[in-house]
Amino acid sequence: MYKYIIYSSYSAGFEFACKIRKKREILILSPCNSPFKQLYKHKFKDKLYLFSDIKDPTLWGTINAFQPDFIVSCVFSEKIPNEHIQQAKILAVNIHPSALPEIRTGDSSFWNILLESETYTVTMHKLTEHWDSGDIIFSDKRKLQSYATKSSMIDDFRYYMRDNADRFQAALESKNRKIIFQTNGKYYPKPKTKHFYLNLDESAIFIDRLIRACSDEISVIVRFKEYQVILLDTL
């Protein structure tokens, strides 16, 4: 039986794990601050390993002892060290909810919405030392809902991973994988405070997209010389 280590911070990765755990031996690695750990903890019990520092030698020791055939990163918030990647006997991959190489980023939902994408592509690629740059072994295009928000895209991806886990597993374990080599693409950084400020010369359409692209905890801020106006929502 193949062994899988699954890195995830969000629900899509946990849903993938829920599906394949019936057929494969799994170990889920997730940060202690993951907002979904309590929701899924009872399902995985001793198969869920929570950590506070990805560079902790104890974590590496846990991976080494498990001896994984496959390592899968799915909506994981940190860069996985090379020494972890190298522990995969067969393959280490990342499942990325954006088209590659067009949108390399640590926040796919933000940039897909801000860039006014009509679709988003779920891409599985080999993990390398560089962000989202490994060879592609599976991709599937999804329609992005009109007026999608960050939350709605995250939910859509979660349901997609729940319903399509078998397809990713088959692509990973196939003896005849179809490899697509990545060419030069564009990297979009994780949004920082500067991305949430407006100068009042943007179009109403752009402002609408920016608000929908932000998480519920972040406001879009308009700055005047003496006042601050915080935009919380759009119609």
Side-chain angles (χ1 to χ4, degrees):
M1 179 184 290
Y2 284 129
K3 293 183 176 182
Y4 279 71
I5 278 183
I6 301 167
Y7 291 78
S8 189
S9 307
Y10 292 92
S11 55
F14 286 103
E15 290 291 347
F16 173 73
C18 281
K19 283 290 187 178
I20 70 166
R21 66 176 174 157
K22 300 175 183 178
K23 306 173 183 178
R24 301 291 181 261
E25 187 174 349
I26 68 166
L27 177 64
I28 304 171
L29 306 181
S30 189
C32 290
N33 61 359
S34 168
F36 295 94
K37 64 182 180 183
Q38 292 302 328
L39 181 62
Y40 291 94
K41 192 173 182 178
H42 71 284
K43 292 185 178 181
F44 298 110
K45 299 179 180 179
D46 61 337
K47 301 299 183 183
L48 175 61
Y49 184 97
L50 300 174
F51 61 89
S52 56
D53 184 355
I54 197 168
K55 296 181 180 179
D56 187 340
T58 304
L59 176 59
W60 184 90
T62 300
I63 298 167
N64 182 260
F66 188 75
Q67 293 288 297
D69 297 294
F70 298 98
I71 289 177
V72 179
S73 169
C74 183
V75 199
F76 185 62
S77 56
E78 301 183 51
K79 181 75 172 66
I80 298 175
N82 283 342
E83 54 266 31
H84 291 203
I85 295 172
Q86 292 167 0
Q87 292 300 308
K89 292 180 181 179
I90 300 176
L91 194 61
V93 299
N94 178 45
I95 300 176
H96 178 77
S98 289
L100 291 176
E102 293 83 359
I103 305 178
R104 293 171 173 163
T105 181
D107 195 331
S108 295
S109 53
F110 178 85
W111 288 109
N112 273 288
I113 292 170
L114 192 65
L115 296 172
E116 204 174 11
S117 303
E118 293 183 357
T119 61
Y120 73 93
T121 301
V122 182
T123 311
M124 183 164 65
H125 66 90
K126 293 181 180 179
L127 277 171
T128 68
E129 60 182 331
H130 302 293
W131 281 100
D132 300 331
S133 59
D135 299 336
I136 297 168
I137 62 175
F138 179 87
S139 64
D140 189 24
K141 187 175 289 188
R142 299 275 296 165
K143 180 175 176 55
L144 191 60
Q145 299 171 348
S146 299
Y147 299 103
T149 64
K150 186 180 187 70
S151 295
S152 70
M153 181 177 167
I154 290 172
D155 283 343
D156 184 80
F157 184 45
R158 172 166 64 94
Y159 296 134
Y160 174 84
M161 290 307 302
R162 180 195 66 188
D163 297 338
N164 292 274
D166 290 347
R167 298 174 66 195
F168 287 90
Q169 181 184 331
L172 276 169
E173 298 178 9
S174 172
K175 303 297 183 183
N176 299 301
R177 300 187 196 96
K178 295 181 179 180
I179 302 297
I180 300 175
F181 299 103
Q182 284 205 55
T183 55
N184 294 330
K186 186 168 183 178
Y187 177 75
Y188 293 87
K190 286 187 177 181
K192 298 180 179 179
T193 303
K194 65 180 181 180
H195 293 106
F196 308 130
Y197 282 98
L198 297 172
N199 298 315
L200 289 184
D201 57 358
E202 296 88 353
S203 68
I205 293 175
F206 176 85
I207 294 172
D208 172 73
R209 292 203 310 269
L210 179 59
I211 292 174
R212 288 188 286 108
C214 289
S215 67
D216 296 338
E217 297 83 21
I218 297 176
S219 302
V220 176
I221 300 175
V222 182
R223 289 188 296 187
F224 296 93
K225 289 183 179 180
E226 299 179 3
Y227 301 97
Q228 235 181 39
V229 178
I230 300 178
L231 304 180
L232 297 175
D233 204 349
T234 56
L235 297 177

